[in-house]
Amino acid sequence: VYLRVGEPELLRRLSGRWLCRKCGAPYHAVTAPPKQAGQCDRCGGELYQRPDDTEETARKRLGVYFDSTVPLIGYYQLQGALVEVNGEQDVAAVREAMLAVLGKAV
C-alpha cells in the first residue's frame, strides 16, 4: 500500500510539530496548535521544536525518500503489486481506504 501525499503536505505535516519542555505534550502548528502560541495548554511550559522537526530537516529527509524509495513505486506498479491510497484525505477516510485495500488482500 502506497500512501500518496504531495510534497507540500508532507512538509506541512513534518515541520509543524512542537513539544513542551516540561511535560512533553505534543502540538502541531496547524492540526493541533496550543491555545496560546509557545505555551503548553497542560502545564504552561515553553514549547520548542526539535532539530529534526524543522522544515530544513524535513526537506532533507524527503530528498532521501525521493531518491531512494520513489523508484520502488514504479517497480511495484509494474509488478501489479501496488495499491495507492490518497493520504491527503482526513484520517478517517485514509483509515477506511486502507482497511478496504487490506481486506481485499486477505
Side-chain angles (χ1 to χ4, degrees):
V1 177
Y2 170 53
L3 289 175
R4 180 175 292 282
V5 180
E7 187 173 354
E9 180 62 14
L10 287 171
L11 284 171
R12 183 183 75 84
R13 291 178 185 182
L14 291 169
S15 64
R17 184 168 62 167
W18 291 79
L19 300 170
C20 176
R21 286 194 189 278
K22 282 173 108 175
C23 72
Y27 293 89
H28 191 278
V30 178
T31 60
K35 292 176 185 168
Q36 184 176 354
Q39 185 176 354
C40 179
D41 295 343
R42 295 181 191 173
C43 73
E46 175 191 7
L47 300 184
Y48 76 101
Q49 191 170 42
R50 296 181 345 186
D52 59 333
D53 288 335
T54 66
E55 184 173 338
E56 178 183 347
T57 302
R59 284 188 186 281
K60 288 178 186 175
R61 287 178 13 215
L62 285 176
V64 170
Y65 167 77
F66 289 128
D67 290 344
S68 302
T69 305
V70 168
L72 293 173
I73 295 168
Y75 171 80
Y76 285 109
Q77 282 175 327
L78 290 173
Q79 303 301 312
L82 187 84
V83 178
E84 282 189 23
V85 170
N86 178 358
E88 293 197 24
Q89 305 173 83
D90 65 63
V91 174
V94 171
R95 179 181 182 277
E96 290 304 313
M98 292 282 296
L99 289 173
V101 166
L102 294 173
K104 290 178 185 176
V106 175

